[in-house]
Amino acid sequence: MRRMAVLPAAAIVAGGVLAVGGGGPPEPETVLERVQERGVLRVCTTGDYRPFSHLDPHTGEYEGIDVDMARDLAGSLAVEADFVPTTWGSLLADLTGGACDISMGGVSVTLDRAREAYYSVPYLTDGKSPIARCADADRYRTLEDIDRPGVRVIVNPGGTNQQFVQEHIDRATVVVHQDNVTIFEEIIAGRADVMITDGSETRYQSSQHPELCATNPDEPFTFAEKGYLLPQGEEEFQEYVDQWLHLALNDGTYDGHAADWFD
């Protein structure tokens, strides 16, 4: 008697033809799965924004509160953190273009970014504040003080600092400085008078440079929050990051990393 061939369970009937499904595991479909499959969490960061993200030019290593947090997030997934250089002008495009899995490093929550990407829950409340030479700090406490002819307002391009200056500074002279790492030295040297940036940065920079004073970091010009920028449509990854961050904000993890920079 003729025996019938026994097909594998994966055989599929398509168009009247029996087809055998191919072997091998399915490709990871979500960012969370791809990160774990790859063994690497790719983190876009500018490396020019102390205390959150700084690229040490001597060692080539990244450091900062959000650099430590990125490594902690990667560790929670049992993977390594790989830092991908970006700029404030290309931060969103690099994330949405797939260059990285998450953007970290003092990223402000904005509606422009939220239209194209997801945010984690916020981890810090902040706002725009001025910083100037201590000898002149009392002259630059309000926007009216700053936005006057003869005042030189220095700003780094591509981010929320420049956006704020474009919207609020009309009469003062705006000096665009490309290097956010050396921008505060321009104020110390007298080549600029004041910078408007996040209150957290003014507090840190004034602690590092005795010549500089943060004038009103506790009463900023604006309300803002910082969060981690995530790919749009990746709900599983967003939920994981939110839960990880919720725990880190309440078990001392974040405060421990921040203390290394603010204490």
Side-chain angles (χ1 to χ4, degrees):
M1 183 175 64
R2 185 176 180 181
R3 295 180 179 273
M4 295 289 293
V6 179
L7 292 175
I12 302 172
V13 178
V17 179
L18 288 173
V20 179
E27 290 294 322
E29 295 183 354
T30 69
V31 166
L32 187 58
E33 291 173 338
R34 288 194 290 272
V35 166
Q36 295 176 95
E37 176 78 13
R38 190 190 309 124
V40 173
L41 176 71
R42 300 171 305 161
V43 182
C44 278
T45 195
T46 62
D48 66 351
Y49 188 20
R50 293 184 175 125
F52 301 102
S53 171
H54 175 245
L55 177 61
D56 189 317
H58 303 293
T59 66
E61 297 292 326
Y62 285 92
E63 58 184 4
I65 299 170
D66 282 342
V67 171
D68 290 335
M69 289 292 285
R71 293 189 174 114
D72 188 89
L73 173 59
S76 76
L77 292 165
V79 302
E80 298 293 323
D82 181 33
F83 296 98
V84 180
T86 189
T87 67
W88 291 110
S90 64
L91 179 75
L92 182 61
D94 286 341
L95 177 74
T96 59
C100 52
D101 307 303
I102 187 171
S103 294
M104 304 175 70
V107 180
S108 296
V109 177
T110 71
L111 294 179
D112 287 342
R113 290 169 179 158
R115 282 195 289 269
E116 299 183 49
Y118 286 168
Y119 275 101
S120 70
V121 294
Y123 63 91
L124 183 68
T125 300
D126 214 341
K128 298 303 178 189
S129 298
I131 183 170
R133 291 180 297 277
C134 292
D136 302 326
D138 286 339
R139 299 172 55 192
Y140 306 117
R141 290 194 170 275
T142 69
L143 277 174
E144 291 74 18
D145 294 336
I146 296 169
D147 192 20
R148 293 182 291 108
V151 176
R152 297 163 299 172
V153 180
I154 195 165
V155 66
N156 58 308
T160 58
N161 288 344
Q162 188 176 42
Q163 182 180 2
F164 180 87
V165 166
Q166 289 173 340
E167 292 174 356
H168 295 91
I169 300 300
D170 297 315
R171 295 177 294 173
T173 300
V174 176
V175 179
V176 178
H177 188 74
Q178 296 291 332
D179 185 3
N180 200 39
V181 175
T182 62
I183 197 167
F184 297 95
E185 297 171 12
E186 296 297 298
I187 304 174
I188 294 171
R191 290 185 287 269
D193 300 309
V194 61
M195 180 179 181
I196 302 172
T197 185
D198 294 329
S200 54
E201 186 173 34
T202 67
R203 280 190 291 266
Y204 174 74
Q205 291 294 338
S206 62
S207 73
Q208 299 300 302
H209 302 287
E211 306 95 331
L212 299 178
C213 285
T215 59
N216 61 350
D218 297 322
E219 297 179 0
F221 298 147
T222 62
F223 168 82
E225 293 178 314
K226 295 193 182 300
Y228 301 135
L229 201 60
L230 309 163
Q232 198 171 66
E234 294 289 342
E235 282 81 7
E236 295 90 347
F237 189 43
Q238 182 189 38
E239 290 172 3
Y240 182 87
V241 172
D242 281 349
Q243 186 58 55
W244 160 80
L245 183 52
H246 171 73
L247 295 173
L249 291 172
N250 287 279
D251 66 7
T253 299
Y254 181 86
D255 288 342
H257 295 317
D260 293 337
W261 291 82
F262 284 110
D263 288 357

